[in-house]
Amino acid sequence: MERRPSTGSRALREPARTASERWILRRERWPMAARKVTVIGLGAMGAGIAHRLIESSFAVTVHNRTGAKALPLAEAGATVAPCAAEAVRDADVVLLSLGDEEAVEQVLFGDAVKGLRAGTVVVDTSTVSPAYARDAEERLAALGCPRIEACLIGNPAMARAGELRVLGSGERRTFEQVGDVLSAMGAREPLYLGATGRAGAMKLAFNLILGAQTAALGEALALTASAGLDRELVLTAITRSGWGSPVLNFRAELMRTRGYEPAGFRARLMAKDLRLAVETAAEAGLTLPVTAEAGRRFGEVVAAGRGDADAAVVCELDRRPAGADAG
């Protein structure tokens, strides 16, 4: 005979809730049990995330190699640590927002590991190769510290508002363990992708599309300018057509105003990410010729001294053949 569900069943007493809603309820029930989260790397994204975590009632400690960047967060209520090792010493979760693998090596493995205690979860939002992610996971595991890689989709304003899209990979149990931190950063429930390396591959896939689109938009402006068309007219036509998108329109506005600083996504990081995408594909026996060419163009931006400007600055490259008459 079919059993009827108990009227005391949890499923009947409590409706299904998102991870964010569950965390809000948990914080209301145990308001003094604030988890200690350390954020290392206070660039535009890292600073936005740290502000969001403070507003979400986490006990936040921050560290940045350029100390002045920590001052606004100190005013917002964060504890500022003088070095990475000190910053992580009492943390339940350490969140990294660093520019590249070299920075992760220097800050995490060169300093922070001196203060990490076993059981601390490292959430790495830095864009690194899948191979490096797996290596970092192994080295942290040897210290008793699980690692989650978090692919963040969005810009600094979205980070500050907690509206990022968060995609993560690593051990599932660890991913769920830091679900409260990940949920605080995103507008939707974090999406689990599986084994380590997958979130990194996904981030590189997003960024190669962004890089190719941005470089192509710059070429479209060069072509239309050669025909005597006004830049603002062209960008208005593109962004108000089916070719427009939130991401493309964001870069189009920067190109329209020529307002490339402060950067939403620095050109040097774009060049790095496109290089990582090409190298990761090569390890799998694949070629990415469009991505490789876009990466070369962003490399030219960096070589021209504009690496810290937004990636949209690629539209300002001189597109005449070498040796062509400027007149």
Side-chain angles (χ1 to χ4, degrees), residues 127-216:
T127 304
V128 301
S129 70
Y132 183 85
R134 289 187 286 269
D135 177 69
E137 180 184 55
E138 290 179 4
R139 286 191 280 170
L140 286 170
L143 301 174
C145 297
R147 177 185 183 275
I148 289 294
E149 59 178 336
C151 163
L152 306 181
I153 308 303
N155 57 42
M158 295 169 72
R160 180 68 176 79
E163 296 176 351
L164 298 171
R165 187 72 174 103
V166 183
L167 314 175
S169 62
E171 187 180 75
R172 177 104 198 201
R173 181 174 59 182
T174 306
F175 178 80
E176 293 174 350
Q177 183 182 341
V178 295
D180 52 345
V181 177
L182 301 179
S183 293
M185 297 189 288
R188 286 181 267 174
E189 190 166 353
L191 179 64
Y192 178 67
L193 299 179
T196 294
R198 290 183 177 178
M202 179 71 87
K203 183 62 178 290
L204 293 178
F206 272 98
N207 285 355
L208 75 83
I209 294 171
L210 175 60
Q213 281 187 330
T214 303

Side-chain angles (χ1 to χ4, degrees), residues 38-310:
T38 290
V39 179
I40 297 179
L42 302 177
M45 291 292 284
I49 291 168
H51 275 291
R52 176 62 180 171
L53 293 174
I54 292 169
E55 292 170 356
S56 300
S57 300
F58 289 94
V60 176
T61 297
V62 298
H63 171 70
N64 194 74
R65 287 180 289 181
T66 304
K69 290 186 176 182
L71 295 179
L73 285 154
E75 294 174 357
T79 298
V80 179
C83 65
E86 186 62 29
V88 305
R89 199 169 303 280
D90 297 319
D92 299 309
V93 179
V94 173
L95 189 145
L96 302 179
S97 181
L98 300 170
D100 53 28
E101 294 170 5
E102 182 180 357
V104 175
E105 281 295 313
Q106 292 177 356
V107 177
L108 175 61
F109 292 108
D111 187 7
V113 292
K114 300 171 187 175
L116 274 178
R117 55 185 174 82
T120 299
V121 179
V122 175
V123 176
D124 196 349
T125 71
S126 315
T127 304
V128 301
S129 70
Y132 183 85
R134 289 187 286 269
D135 177 69
E137 180 184 55
E138 290 179 4
R139 286 191 280 170
L140 286 170
L143 301 174
C145 297
R147 177 185 183 275
I148 289 294
E149 59 178 336
C151 163
L152 306 181
I153 308 303
N155 57 42
M158 295 169 72
R160 180 68 176 79
E163 296 176 351
L164 298 171
R165 187 72 174 103
V166 183
L167 314 175
S169 62
E171 187 180 75
R172 177 104 198 201
R173 181 174 59 182
T174 306
F175 178 80
E176 293 174 350
Q177 183 182 341
V178 295
D180 52 345
V181 177
L182 301 179
S183 293
M185 297 189 288
R188 286 181 267 174
E189 190 166 353
L191 179 64
Y192 178 67
L193 299 179
T196 294
R198 290 183 177 178
M202 179 71 87
K203 183 62 178 290
L204 293 178
F206 272 98
N207 285 355
L208 75 83
I209 294 171
L210 175 60
Q213 281 187 330
T214 303
L217 183 57
E219 292 189 355
L221 290 181
L223 176 63
T224 52
S226 72
L229 289 164
D230 176 72
R231 174 180 288 207
E232 184 156 353
L233 182 151
V234 171
L235 290 171
T236 299
I238 291 172
T239 57
R240 293 183 181 178
S241 73
W243 275 258
S245 70
V247 172
L248 191 69
N249 294 357
F250 180 86
R251 297 259 121 56
E253 179 61 16
L254 299 183
M255 293 178 183
R256 185 186 69 79
T257 62
R258 290 182 165 86
Y260 306 118
E261 296 184 47
F265 189 161
R266 286 183 288 161
R268 71 172 68 256
L269 296 183
M270 179 65 79
K272 179 264 297 183
D273 289 355
L274 298 182
R275 173 181 57 80
L276 288 179
V278 171
E279 292 174 354
T280 299
E283 291 171 3
L286 304 173
T287 60
L288 305 178
V290 173
T291 303
E293 179 58 23
R296 186 181 69 80
R297 298 299 285 171
F298 285 104
E300 292 176 4
V301 172
V302 176
R306 304 296 301 274
D308 288 327
D310 190 88

